[in-house]
Amino acid sequence: MNFSLIEPYAPMFVGGLVVTLEVTGAALLLAFVLGFLISVLKVLPCEPLRVILDFYTSIFRGIPLIVLLFIAYFGMPQLTGYKISMFAASVLTLGLNGSATVSETVRGGIEGVDRGQYDAARALGLPYPSMMWEIIIPQALRSVAPALVNEAITVLKSSSLVATIGLMDMMRAAQSVQALTYRAFEPFVVVAAIYYVIVMALVALSRRLERHLRRS
């Protein structure tokens, strides 16, 4: 091992880290906003809407993420005539895929809230939106918050797939350094270490959140 050979390429890794964090952050924002919306719609007493949303979820559960990424970046221009950017394709694919998982996680938390909470809210005459946002969802989040942090970790690690379409994230930076130095072990170990540090920080956040929720 000779890590001094890749020291001159440190700016490439820093740039790749920035891109990785940008993709992950934007994808998580999309996943959480859309996932929460879908979860609330799924618990509505509307069977046709539930069937449509279940089909949406099944698409992202049943198709590999890399296939969806290739469809978004390489396939959609064939249908629309518009070439989407690598960044947009990455964010949309990771965000939509994450929203399916988030929606099921939050839906499970909502349905896990004691039915007496619903009855009490109705007895007080609260409208459905107020009941959900002020009573049900806060209780649901208490039980699913650690799972949502785990989903953030999953999206972060899945973001490494965007290198397959050419986006210069950390993985693509390591591949470029490998091509320039003819060294494979060192650049990929550096990338692995960076991912490990970020993931361990999120794990620590998840554990701290769990302790806080147990005390609350």
Side-chain angles (χ1 to χ4, degrees):
M1 291 183 294
N2 187 2
F3 287 95
S4 63
L5 293 176
I6 64 172
E7 287 181 5
Y9 305 100
M12 293 181 64
F13 288 105
V14 174
L17 174 60
V18 171
V19 172
T20 295
L21 294 178
E22 288 176 345
V23 170
T24 302
L28 285 176
L29 179 62
L30 176 60
F32 285 145
V33 171
L34 187 57
F36 273 90
L37 177 60
I38 293 173
S39 65
V40 172
L41 294 176
K42 277 187 174 183
V43 297
L44 290 174
C46 180
E47 188 62 27
L49 180 61
R50 179 188 288 269
V51 170
I52 294 173
L53 294 176
D54 284 342
F55 176 70
Y56 169 87
T57 302
S58 68
I59 290 176
F60 293 99
R61 280 185 163 184
I63 302 176
L65 183 57
I66 192 170
V67 176
L68 294 171
L69 182 60
F70 275 43
I71 291 174
Y73 184 65
F74 297 112
M76 291 307 295
Q78 177 183 332
L79 296 180
T80 64
Y82 174 76
K83 186 172 179 61
I84 189 172
S85 69
M86 289 183 287
F87 183 85
S90 302
V91 170
L92 283 174
T93 304
L94 290 170
L96 294 177
N97 184 78
S99 70
T101 303
V102 170
S103 67
E104 286 299 293
T105 301
V106 177
R107 181 189 61 80
I110 291 175
E111 293 182 347
V113 175
D114 188 86
R115 300 305 302 179
Q117 301 292 314
Y118 292 86
D119 296 336
R122 293 191 184 97
L124 292 173
L126 286 177
Y128 184 83
S130 298
M131 176 184 70
M132 292 300 298
W133 291 112
E134 296 178 16
I135 297 177
I136 305 302
I137 289 181
Q139 295 183 66
L141 289 180
R142 184 170 179 240
S143 61
V144 304
L148 295 179
V149 176
N150 289 335
E151 177 59 20
I153 293 174
T154 300
V155 172
L156 170 65
K157 293 193 295 183
S158 298
S159 69
S160 61
L161 292 174
V162 304
T164 59
I165 62 172
L167 188 63
M168 188 58 73
D169 71 326
M170 286 196 296
M171 188 66 180
R172 187 68 174 177
Q175 292 173 335
S176 299
V177 173
Q178 177 193 8
L180 292 169
T181 62
Y182 301 101
R183 307 280 293 190
F185 186 82
E186 292 89 341
F188 289 117
V189 165
V190 169
V191 169
I194 295 173
Y195 273 114
Y196 180 79
V197 170
I198 299 174
V199 169
M200 287 302 101
L202 291 175
V203 169
L205 173 64
S206 177
R207 291 174 178 172
R208 183 174 181 179
L209 183 61
E210 288 180 12
R211 290 194 298 268
H212 174 74
L213 292 174
R214 283 198 297 265
R215 290 194 301 266
S216 65

